[in-house]
């Protein structure tokens, strides 16, 4: 097995039952039932403020649900330590700010921390995994750069490299294409597609339904009023549902490369 390969381990199940996501007295998501399938990508779509980020934070165990429960494997997520969760699940936030002026290599290597015993240092194998992850996101020549010198897109790719270095079986990503140019958007999504095809489970929020239609197997549509819709991406990402979701007319165009959605 190469240093970059994800270990061929069983992918634990991540699921929720009866999940409520609220902000003050506003119910954004009500009674959500979701089961992330290993080997697949689930795209979360919705307007701004409909609970996409809050739902992902809750699934990652970083925010308590108003009601319902999240399960990792056969146990409630809250029964695991954060270290145990991090050995199986990686979360990439929408925006990440490093509190210290570390190098790109040091930042990416932090993804190995859940797998390193307390008071131990990274090994050459850990750094080999880290360097391969940096190469996967085109940051192999940035190892000694201070992260404060990186652009927004470069920081986004670094966050994804750190998640890859962690070698999780479940990826939870809040807008992984944020700040990325079209070339790197496709590169990162192809990378996540490869991870899913290797047996990982991926859930990510996206603003572009065309990227969801191209790369995802399933979609979770959040309407912001408690209502949600989950299913096969080809079945529920349609002009009709997207028009309701985004509160603007959407039309579908067919081409040899697939389906495309445009707003009126």
């Amino acid at each position: 097995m190469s240093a970059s390969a994800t270990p061929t381990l069983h992918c634990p199940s991540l699921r929720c039952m009866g999940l409520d996501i609220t902000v003050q007295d506003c119910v954004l998501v009500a009674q959500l039932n979701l089961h992330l399938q290993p080997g697949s990508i689930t795209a979360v779509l919705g307007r701004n403020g409909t609970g996409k980020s809050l739902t992902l934070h809750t699934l990652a165990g970083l925010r308590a649900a108003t009601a319902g429960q999240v399960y990792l494997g056969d146990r409630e997520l809250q029964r695991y330590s954060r270290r145990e969760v991090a050995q199986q699940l990686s979360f990439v936030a929408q925006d990440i700010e490093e509190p210290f002026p570390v190098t790109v290599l040091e930042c990416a290597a932090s993804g190995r921390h859940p797998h390193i015993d307390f008071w131990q240092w990274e090994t050459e194998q850990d750094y080999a995994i880290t360097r391969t992850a940096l190469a996967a996101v085109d940051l192999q020549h940035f190892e000694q750069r201070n992260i404060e010198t990186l652009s927004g897109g470069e920081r986004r790719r670094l966050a994804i490299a750190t998640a890859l270095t962690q070698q999780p079986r479940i990826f939870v990503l809040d807008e992984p294409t944020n700040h990325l140019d079209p070339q790197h958007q496709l590169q990162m999504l192809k990378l996540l597609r490869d991870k899913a095809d290797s047996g990982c489970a991926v859930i990510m929020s996206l603003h572009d339904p065309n990227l969801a239609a191209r790369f995802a197997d399933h979609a979770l549509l959040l309407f912001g009023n408690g209502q949600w819709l989950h299913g096969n991406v080809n079945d529920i990402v349609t002009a009709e549902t997207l028009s309701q979701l985004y509160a603007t007319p959407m039309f579908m165009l067919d081409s040899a490369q697939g389906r495309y959605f445009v707003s009126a």
Side-chain angles (χ1 to χ4, degrees):
M1 183 180 71
S2 67
S4 62
T6 302
T8 54
L9 301 175
H10 170 69
C11 180
S13 169
L14 183 66
R15 57 192 174 91
C16 66
M17 298 179 62
L19 208 64
D20 284 358
I21 307 294
T22 64
V23 175
Q24 294 183 345
D25 295 328
C26 181
V27 180
L28 300 177
V29 183
Q31 294 296 293
L32 176 63
N33 298 314
L34 183 68
H35 187 179
L36 299 186
Q37 299 293 333
S40 69
I41 293 178
T42 299
V44 184
L45 302 174
R47 299 189 307 277
N48 294 334
T50 54
K52 298 187 300 297
S53 295
L54 294 178
T55 298
L56 294 179
H57 276 79
T58 304
L59 290 175
L62 301 174
R63 181 183 189 272
T66 307
Q69 191 57 259
V70 179
Y71 296 87
L72 178 62
D74 57 358
R75 284 198 289 164
E76 296 176 0
L77 186 64
Q78 65 190 23
R79 296 185 179 275
Y80 292 86
S81 69
R82 288 311 305 172
R83 177 181 171 84
E84 289 174 324
V85 172
Q87 289 172 347
Q88 299 287 350
L89 182 152
S90 179
F91 176 74
V92 176
Q94 189 173 135
D95 291 296
I96 299 174
E97 292 293 335
E98 284 291 335
F100 304 108
V102 297
T103 67
V104 167
L105 181 64
E106 291 168 333
C107 180
S110 67
R112 298 303 303 155
H113 290 176
H115 305 286
I116 299 173
D117 291 336
F118 293 112
W119 309 113
Q120 298 297 311
W121 296 97
E122 294 86 354
T123 65
E124 286 303 316
Q125 176 71 1
D126 293 319
Y127 280 115
I129 293 170
T130 302
R131 289 189 169 95
T132 306
L134 289 174
V137 300
D138 285 343
L139 289 178
Q140 64 269 36
H141 302 302
F142 288 61
E143 285 186 10
Q144 299 309 315
R145 282 269 299 270
N146 189 307
I147 60 171
E148 294 180 340
T149 68
L150 300 182
S151 69
E154 290 165 345
R155 283 176 179 255
R156 199 67 186 144
R157 284 150 53 199
L158 175 57
I160 294 173
T162 305
L164 294 173
T165 300
Q166 194 173 330
Q167 292 188 321
R169 299 302 291 163
I170 301 170
F171 288 84
V172 181
L173 308 103
D174 195 1
E175 296 188 28
T177 59
N178 197 21
H179 301 304
L180 297 183
D181 55 60
Q183 175 195 2
H184 285 109
Q185 284 185 5
L186 295 179
Q187 182 186 17
M188 295 306 105
L189 291 176
K190 288 176 181 177
L191 192 59
L192 293 170
R193 181 70 261 173
D194 288 343
K195 287 298 176 184
D197 291 342
S198 74
C200 294
V202 179
I203 183 168
M204 59 184 176
S205 61
L206 293 171
H207 276 299
D208 188 345
N210 293 306
L211 293 177
R214 178 172 177 179
F215 289 99
D217 305 287
H218 309 283
L220 173 63
L221 311 186
L222 302 181
F223 295 89
N225 60 356
Q227 296 182 348
W228 53 273
L229 184 64
H230 174 255
N232 185 286
V233 70
N234 292 324
D235 295 333
I236 67 170
V237 177
T238 66
E240 180 181 359
T241 57
L242 292 178
S243 296
Q244 180 184 359
L245 186 71
Y246 295 118
T248 191
M250 300 287 291
F251 298 92
M252 185 181 77
L253 304 176
D254 278 315
S255 75
Q257 287 73 40
R259 303 179 304 154
Y260 291 90
F261 299 94
V262 295
S263 58

